[in-house]
C-alpha cells in the first residue's frame, strides 16, 4: 500500500508564505514525477507544479515566480514553497507521485485571507 501524507497547509494573510511537504511511503519502487495539484471550491482543478526525478520543473502560469517545487529523492518527499500568496491561491492542495501509476495524497487546505 502506498501512502502520501501532506503537511504544511493552513491560514495565512495575503503576501505571506507557506511550505507544503508530502512524504511518500509504502510499497513503491522508484518514483518518477511528483507534482502538486489544487482544487478551489466551485472551480476546476489545476496542476500547480511538477518535477521529474532529475529535477526538471514546470509551473502553472498563475504561480510562476511565486511558487517553487523541489524534492528529496532519498526521503521520497516533495515540497512546495509558496511565497507572495494571494486569496486566489486558496484551495485544497494535493500531492501526486508517479511510479507506473499515479498516487494521490489526501489533500491539505490552504487559505489566504485578504
Amino acid at each position: 500500500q502506498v501512502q502520501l501524507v501532506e503537511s504544511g497547509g493552513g491560514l495565512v494573510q495575503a503576501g505571506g508564505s507557506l511550505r507544503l511537504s508530502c512524504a511518500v511511503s509504502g510499497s513503491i519502487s522508484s518514483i518518477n514525477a511528483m507534482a502538486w495539484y489544487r482544487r478551489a471550491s466551485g472551480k476546476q482543478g489545476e496542476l500547480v507544479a511538477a518535477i521529474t526525478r532529475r529535477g526538471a520543473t514546470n509551473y502553472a502560469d498563475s504561480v510562476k515566480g511565486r511558487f517553487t517545487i523541489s524534492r528529496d529523492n532519498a526521503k521520497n518527499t516533495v515540497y512546495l514553497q509558496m511565497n507572495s500568496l494571494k486569496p486566489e491561491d486558496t484551495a485544497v492542495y494535493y500531492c501526486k507521485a508517479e511510479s507506473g501509476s499515479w498516487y494521490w495524497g489526501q489533500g491539505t487546505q490552504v487559505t489566504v485571507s485578504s
Side-chain angles (χ1 to χ4, degrees):
Q1 186 176 358
V2 177
Q3 284 189 315
L4 283 72
V5 179
E6 298 109 333
S7 60
L11 173 64
V12 64
Q13 288 189 331
S17 298
L18 283 174
R19 188 190 193 215
L20 304 183
S21 299
C22 173
V24 183
S25 62
S27 300
I28 189 168
S29 57
S30 177
I31 300 173
N32 299 316
M34 303 183 83
W36 289 94
Y37 181 92
R38 68 185 179 186
R39 180 173 286 133
S41 180
K43 296 184 179 180
Q44 202 166 12
E46 177 183 34
L47 180 64
V48 176
I51 185 168
T52 67
R53 184 169 182 82
R54 292 186 177 184
T57 59
N58 67 280
Y59 297 90
D61 287 343
S62 58
V63 306
K64 280 181 182 176
R66 301 187 298 121
F67 290 11
T68 302
I69 188 171
S70 61
R71 64 189 284 175
D72 183 332
N73 292 331
K75 296 181 179 179
N76 282 349
T77 300
V78 63
Y79 307 96
L80 185 68
Q81 178 66 43
M82 305 185 292
N83 298 329
S84 302
L85 282 161
K86 303 175 181 180
E88 50 264 45
D89 294 318
T90 295
V92 178
Y93 285 70
Y94 300 88
C95 73
K96 301 170 56 178
E98 187 271 317
S99 179
S101 301
W102 278 100
Y103 300 91
W104 290 75
Q106 81 287 353
T108 185
Q109 177 70 45
V110 171
T111 302
V112 184
S113 63
S114 56

